[in-house]
């Protein structure tokens, strides 16, 4: 398991240009917001957590086609399916590494984004907490949609359509944790994660097994 | 020993092949030939357990499947890729021995993205040296290989058969092996 995880993290770390592009995308969304909404500091301060989360969610969506589509294309998926290692464990390692990568990009950009959007300092720890609980859920759900698109031989447009309804609750709880009392929404985020953590890898494994038919 | 009985495979509602049966004793090499689209790859994928058979049985045998795709990641180095193959196959990697099998030792620290198509093919074939499966399933294994690479592959196959392994290969190459069984796939 550790060896798998090390491999997946190494693979993500080697794809720096791809992640840099996503980082740039995130920054761009955050920079454009004040221009679109007007530069009133008070309003930006109020909207900041929501804007950061929307940018993070879009960035996550963009990164998802890397999850299984590439493996299916280069033949790694066959190797995963034949492997004596449980498929769910391989998938878990992949999703964990992907979550870590997104998390790193977000943490790197958090301070600049906070400055640009005039965010309150006390919101930062809350925002970090929502990232910790929310990002893995996004990736786990994204993994299910990604595996389904591979199974159906469809493109990423379908993936996005499938995902957005499931992302909305996560977005709502994450943003309400940042704007109001944090405890309850964070508990909800945690329970979504607790629900997905054991089930999603199994669902993904089952749909990947069907890709071959 | 591998025995296949009454094997039929259906894809998209169409039979690719029907009622195929053969047995392969330890130490034997089976060459599959047939026109494009006659089901050579489908048969190999079915034997590897990647496709469920529509009917029929395949005796349980641990196999190592090398398909058309090399299953390598351009971002990793050769050494890291070999490590990963070993992890996926649940064995402890012996990188030195494995890399020597297909002449990859000088390329160990090169990123896979800088390798040529033939070198990637060698890397892909190195899975055979990492895996200790008795049955090798090879789908056009000589694609992109140079003469030296081909010789290494032949040597590996001869050694594998001599030590009681079995090889099934879909290829139209003439193999310098003495004992070859043939299976010709045709229209259903």
């Amino acid at each position: 398991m550790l060896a798998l995880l090390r491999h997946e993290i190494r693979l993500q770390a080697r794809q720096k240009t791809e992640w840099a592009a996503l980082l740039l995308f995130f920054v761009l969304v955050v920079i454009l917001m004040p221009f679109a909404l007007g530069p009133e500091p008070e309003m930006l301060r109020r909207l900041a957590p929501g804007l950061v989360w929307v940018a993070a969610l879009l960035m996550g969506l963009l990164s998802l086609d890397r999850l299984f589509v590439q493996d299916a294309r280069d033949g790694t998926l066959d190797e995963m399916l034949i492997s004596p290692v449980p498929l769910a464990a391989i998938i878990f390692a992949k999703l964990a590494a992907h979550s870590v990568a997104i998390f790193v990009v977000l943490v790197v950009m958090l301070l600049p984004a906070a400055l640009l959007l005039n965010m309150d300092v006390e919101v930062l720890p809350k925002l970090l907490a929502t990232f910790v609980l929310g990002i893995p859920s996004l990736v786990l759900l994204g993994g299910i949609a990604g595996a389904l698109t591979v199974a159906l031989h469809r493109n990423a447009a379908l993936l996005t359509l499938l995902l957005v309804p499931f992302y909305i609750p996560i977005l709502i709880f994450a943003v309400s944790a940042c704007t109001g009392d944090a405890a309850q929404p964070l508990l909800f985020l945690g329970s979504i994660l607790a629900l997905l953590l054991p089930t999603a890898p199994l669902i993904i494994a089952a749909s990947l097994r069907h890709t071959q038919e | 020993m591998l025995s296949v009985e009454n094997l039929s495979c259906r894809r998209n509602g169409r039979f690719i092949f029907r009622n195929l049966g053969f047995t392969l004793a330890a130490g034997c090499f089976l060459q599959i030939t047939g026109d494009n689209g006659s089901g050579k790859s489908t048969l190999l994928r079915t034997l590897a357990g990647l496709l469920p058979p529509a009917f029929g049985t395949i005796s349980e045998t641990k196999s190592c499947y090398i398909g058309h795709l090399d299953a390598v990641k351009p971002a990793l180095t050769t050494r890291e890729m070999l490590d990963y193959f070993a992890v996926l196959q649940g064995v402890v990697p012996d990188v030195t021995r494995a890399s020597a099998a297909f002449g990859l030792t000088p390329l160990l620290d090169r990123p896979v993205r800088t390798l040529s198509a033939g070198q990637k093919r060698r890397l892909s074939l190195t899975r055979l040296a990492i895996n200790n499966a008795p049955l090798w399933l090879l789908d056009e294994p000589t694609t992109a290989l140079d003469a030296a690479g081909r010789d290494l592959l032949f040597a590996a196959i001869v050694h594998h058969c001599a030590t009681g392994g079995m090889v099934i290969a879909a290829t139209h190459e003439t193999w310098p092996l003495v004992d070859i069984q043939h299976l010709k796939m045709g229209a259903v």
Side-chain angles (χ1 to χ4, degrees):
Chain A
M1 189 68 220
L2 271 179
L4 276 174
L5 204 60
R6 206 181 55 212
H7 165 82
E8 296 299 344
I9 288 185
R10 185 154 58 193
L11 197 56
Q12 296 293 356
R14 289 287 163 77
Q15 297 174 327
K16 283 197 194 75
T17 37
E18 281 89 345
W19 284 109
L22 289 172
L23 193 144
L24 210 65
F25 172 81
F26 179 79
V27 177
L28 220 61
V29 173
V30 171
I31 288 179
L32 288 177
M33 285 303 176
F35 290 105
L37 299 172
E40 295 147 48
E42 186 49 35
M43 182 185 64
L44 281 179
R45 190 184 58 77
R46 201 155 38 82
L47 295 179
L51 294 178
V52 168
W53 252 96
V54 168
L57 205 140
L58 291 175
M59 185 191 78
L61 268 178
L62 271 183
S63 75
L64 281 177
D65 68 324
R66 201 149 334 132
L67 262 176
F68 298 112
V69 177
Q70 269 186 359
D71 288 328
R73 236 176 251 153
D74 68 17
T76 309
L77 185 60
D78 288 345
E79 196 69 4
M80 286 161 51
L81 290 170
I82 298 173
S83 164
V85 181
L87 187 55
I90 303 174
I91 291 163
F92 184 83
K94 255 181 204 308
L95 298 178
H98 201 87
S99 308
V100 169
I102 293 187
F103 190 73
V104 168
V105 171
L106 286 179
V107 170
V108 167
M109 285 324 296
L110 196 55
L111 273 181
L115 279 176
L116 280 168
L117 296 175
N118 189 30
M119 204 188 291
D120 285 334
V121 184
E122 56 265 34
V123 173
L124 281 177
K126 286 186 192 170
L127 201 55
L128 264 180
T130 58
F131 282 158
V132 170
L133 291 175
I135 297 298
S137 300
L138 292 186
V139 173
L140 287 162
L141 280 171
I144 296 177
L148 284 175
T149 49
V150 171
L152 297 171
H153 308 284
R154 293 293 184 275
N155 61 5
L158 179 70
L159 192 149
T160 319
L161 265 177
L162 276 173
L163 273 179
V164 168
F166 294 100
Y167 275 10
I168 289 172
I170 299 174
L171 183 66
I172 292 173
F173 288 128
V175 174
S176 59
C178 296
T179 46
D181 177 30
Q184 232 166 24
L186 279 181
L187 277 177
F188 270 110
L189 276 184
S191 52
I192 292 175
L193 181 58
L195 176 71
L196 287 172
L197 210 52
T199 51
L202 295 176
I203 296 171
I204 295 167
S207 43
L208 284 180
R209 285 199 191 285
H210 278 278
T211 53
Q212 305 298 321
E213 285 168 37
Chain B
M1 202 190 89
L2 174 77
S3 77
V4 172
E5 278 172 44
N6 260 331
L7 191 68
S8 301
C9 194
R10 190 163 44 190
R11 283 180 100 171
N12 302 320
R14 193 173 68 87
F15 275 103
I16 308 287
F17 54 81
R18 241 188 262 203
N19 301 333
L20 197 74
F22 61 85
T23 56
L24 193 65
C28 286
F29 179 95
L30 176 69
Q31 178 172 9
I32 305 174
T33 52
D35 301 337
N36 295 140
S38 61
K40 301 186 292 292
S41 297
T42 305
L43 174 60
L44 286 175
R45 292 179 75 81
T46 309
L47 292 175
L50 281 167
L51 286 173
F55 306 106
T57 52
I58 304 164
S59 62
E60 195 79 29
T61 315
K62 201 167 163 262
S63 65
C64 180
Y65 167 78
I66 310 282
H68 285 285
L69 300 164
D70 288 331
V72 294
K73 297 282 181 199
L76 298 178
T77 66
T78 305
R79 185 192 302 276
E80 287 163 353
M81 208 55 236
L82 291 176
D83 273 336
Y84 184 53
F85 284 149
V87 169
L88 273 189
Q89 290 170 359
V91 296
V92 182
D94 181 355
V95 172
T96 332
R97 195 184 63 84
S99 62
F102 287 94
L104 288 173
T105 314
L107 304 174
L108 269 181
D109 293 311
R110 283 258 299 271
V112 171
R113 108 180 81 81
T114 67
L115 300 185
S116 74
Q119 287 169 330
K120 278 183 199 150
R121 192 73 211 168
R122 287 176 180 226
L123 175 54
S124 181
L125 285 167
T126 304
R127 276 179 280 171
L128 297 171
I130 295 172
N131 200 316
N132 49 7
L135 174 63
W136 290 0
L137 302 166
L138 312 175
D139 200 348
E140 302 286 357
T142 51
T143 312
L145 281 185
D146 58 5
R150 211 166 291 208
D151 288 344
L152 285 170
L153 177 61
F154 291 153
I157 289 175
V158 168
H159 176 75
H160 185 62
C161 288
T163 51
M166 293 169 284
V167 179
I168 301 181
T171 173
H172 290 92
E173 190 115 355
T174 37
W175 297 71
L177 299 165
V178 204
D179 194 20
I180 297 186
Q181 299 180 30
H182 287 277
L183 176 71
K184 182 143 172 46
M185 307 282 293
V188 179

